[in-house]
Amino acid sequence: ISNQRVNAIEEDAQGYIWMGTFRGLNRYNGNDFHQYFNTEDSSSVADNQIKAIYKDSKARLWVATVNGVSLYGAQGTFFTAPIEAKSRNAIQLFENKEGTIFANMVVQLCVYDTEKKRFKVVVDHFLDDENFLNTCHIDKADRIWSVTSYHIRSYNSSTLKLLSVTKSETPIHYSFLRDNGELWLASLNTLSIYNTNSGKFMSIPTAISRHPVLSKSIITLIHPYDNVSLLINTQKDGLFLYNANSGKVIGQNESGFPFEAPNFEITSMFTDSKKNLWIGSTDQGFTVSYNYKKHFNNNNFLQARFQNKSVTSIFPDKQKNLWIATTLHGLFVYNTEKQNVKEVNTSLFFTGDKSYKDRV
């Protein structure tokens, strides 16, 4: 990888994982990295310092940098769109249901004009005067929520009309919008939840408010985990898993935590189409919690044998074999009695040799 600070992670339509770093853009195929840098060539990415990566509803890949926004095109080239804004520092990209692409330029909000192929300002003075923090979210009602240090603003994403303004009593340093409309707001070592549907603040879940550690921690990142849980990363106290159904909180060193937490400062988290969890760091690259390991339970042999291999399917047969398909490394069969793994020559499946299955 081109740099050990991973700021953004995304998956493209072909299943490649893209990582934006402090120095360069990287495409990972499961084995190797292909690196992209800003050069004198106008078809290169806008800048080497990548802030965000976004795959839109048309499967196009957008890259936000400190010096503009680039659209990935054919044969590894990029189109960098002109930006009619005060700043070229793009920190976030998102899209509404109409397919409009928005770029958060910190102090202004821009939309991509598909006819003129450029970004134009649609919301000016997007920020509180006393800070330079702004994060945008878009909800299921297609409203844009702008969260700055002291204000929560909502806009109609079609008309860009300002719908509401709510003041925060404490300075917000991080925000996360759940699918159910709950806007989680972290302010130093306190947490508040704003219900975007009712326009009112809610009570904090008891499991969090009464937790001896998490209730006093500084939250830096929240990421959905499975269908009912949230991964909550803290500045000094590690990761916590909050299960909304059971109402329980599990720390990364406690029994029941679903994976081995990395020993580094986390900057980004991303779940790919195979439900693998990618975690980026400030200075140690990234790590992956592979979803297939859940199926291997505590079988250390299998976990070691398929380390860093993307497993796509697992199937047990009646002969006590476990068939394991991978993205790039082929098909394997594991005999649960002999506890050995063999690579399968899949080309012989198409030769008409009926005895091949018996020989396997």
Side-chain angles (χ1 to χ4, degrees):
I1 194 168
S2 62
N3 187 266
Q4 295 299 305
R5 182 182 177 90
V6 179
N7 295 325
I9 308 172
E10 182 61 278
E11 180 180 10
D12 67 16
Q14 287 71 43
Y16 294 124
I17 299 296
W18 291 73
M19 296 187 192
T21 73
F22 186 77
R23 180 185 169 274
L25 179 66
N26 302 256
R27 187 185 69 184
Y28 184 54
N29 66 7
N31 267 345
D32 307 306
F33 282 102
H34 187 89
Q35 301 173 351
Y36 300 89
F37 295 99
N38 173 257
T39 66
E40 295 180 357
D41 190 339
S42 60
S43 65
S44 65
V45 67
D47 196 273
N48 288 329
Q49 192 175 150
I50 312 299
K51 305 295 286 187
I53 310 171
Y54 180 72
K55 182 180 71 173
D56 68 17
S57 59
K58 297 179 181 178
R60 298 177 299 183
L61 203 71
W62 299 82
V63 182
T65 77
V66 296
N67 193 34
V69 178
S70 296
L71 178 62
Y72 181 70
Q75 300 175 339
T77 60
F78 294 86
F79 165 69
T80 298
I83 300 177
E84 301 170 352
K86 297 176 182 177
S87 167
R88 294 182 57 82
N89 181 19
I91 62 171
Q92 195 180 8
L93 296 162
F94 59 97
E95 178 182 18
N96 68 4
K97 292 179 181 178
E98 297 174 350
T100 303
I101 302 298
F102 294 86
N104 182 353
M105 308 301 294
V106 186
V107 295
Q108 295 172 309
L109 182 67
C110 293
V111 297
Y112 183 66
D113 188 324
T114 55
E115 292 184 0
K116 296 182 179 180
K117 295 185 177 181
R118 62 179 58 235
F119 282 94
K120 61 181 181 181
V121 176
V122 289
V123 177
D124 206 352
H125 306 296
F126 202 40
L127 197 63
D128 302 329
D129 294 335
E130 67 271 21
N131 73 88
F132 284 91
L133 174 70
N134 180 21
T135 305
C136 290
H137 310 275
I138 192 156
D139 65 15
K140 290 184 177 180
D142 232 16
R143 295 172 297 183
I144 296 171
W145 292 88
S146 163
V147 181
T148 59
S149 290
Y150 289 97
H151 291 92
I152 305 162
R153 298 178 174 92
S154 68
Y155 298 84
N156 182 305
S157 70
S158 296
T159 65
L160 281 308
K161 178 184 177 182
L162 179 64
L163 302 176
S164 66
V165 181
T166 302
K167 184 174 176 57
S168 173
E169 299 299 326
T170 54
I172 302 167
H173 68 261
Y174 176 77
S175 62
F176 170 78
L177 181 65
R178 292 187 66 189
D179 288 341
N180 63 2
E182 294 178 1
L183 189 58
W184 289 43
L185 308 166
S187 302
L188 297 177
N189 59 346
T190 62
L191 176 69
S192 59
I193 300 177
Y194 180 79
N195 189 320
T196 59
N197 298 314
S198 66
K200 298 179 180 179
F201 283 93
M202 304 169 51
S203 299
I204 307 302
T206 304
I208 296 177
S209 62
R210 295 184 179 179
H211 194 278
V213 179
L214 181 56
S215 62
K216 302 173 184 177
S217 299
I218 297 175
I219 296 173
T220 61
L221 187 63
I222 301 175
H223 184 75
Y225 189 82
D226 58 48
N227 296 322
V228 297
S229 303
L230 295 176
L231 280 171
I232 303 174
N233 186 61
T234 62
Q235 189 176 78
K236 296 180 179 179
D237 301 305
L239 280 168
F240 295 85
L241 182 72
Y242 166 65
N243 186 305
N245 278 1
S246 65
K248 293 183 178 180
V249 171
I250 304 173
Q252 66 177 42
N253 297 320
E254 296 180 86
S255 176
F257 195 80
F259 59 89
E260 184 178 350
N263 186 26
F264 55 56
E265 185 179 344
I266 296 174
T267 55
S268 53
M269 286 191 275
F270 174 76
T271 302
D272 66 20
S273 58
K274 301 179 183 66
K275 298 184 180 179
N276 300 315
L277 178 65
W278 300 73
I279 306 175
S281 76
T282 56
D283 58 2
Q284 295 183 50
F286 70 97
T287 186
V288 188
S289 173
Y290 288 99
N291 183 53
Y292 71 82
K293 289 189 176 182
K294 297 177 184 176
H295 303 292
F296 291 166
N297 297 324
N298 294 321
N299 190 316
N300 294 327
F301 171 76
L302 280 180
Q303 291 200 21
R305 183 67 175 79
F306 291 91
Q307 181 72 26
N308 297 327
K309 291 182 175 64
S310 182
V311 175
T312 59
S313 181
I314 300 173
F315 179 77
D317 64 21
K318 294 180 181 180
Q319 286 75 42
K320 297 184 179 180
N321 295 314
L322 193 66
W323 295 76
I324 304 167
T326 67
T327 302
L328 296 172
H329 299 86
L331 179 66
F332 299 83
V333 59
Y334 170 68
N335 187 281
T336 58
E337 290 186 335
K338 298 179 181 178
Q339 295 188 347
N340 60 6
V341 173
K342 292 182 181 179
E343 186 171 357
V344 179
N345 184 356
T346 55
S347 64
L348 295 179
F349 285 157
F350 307 98
T351 64
D353 185 352
K354 295 181 180 180
S355 65
Y356 180 64
K357 185 176 76 171
D358 296 330
R359 288 190 281 114
V360 172

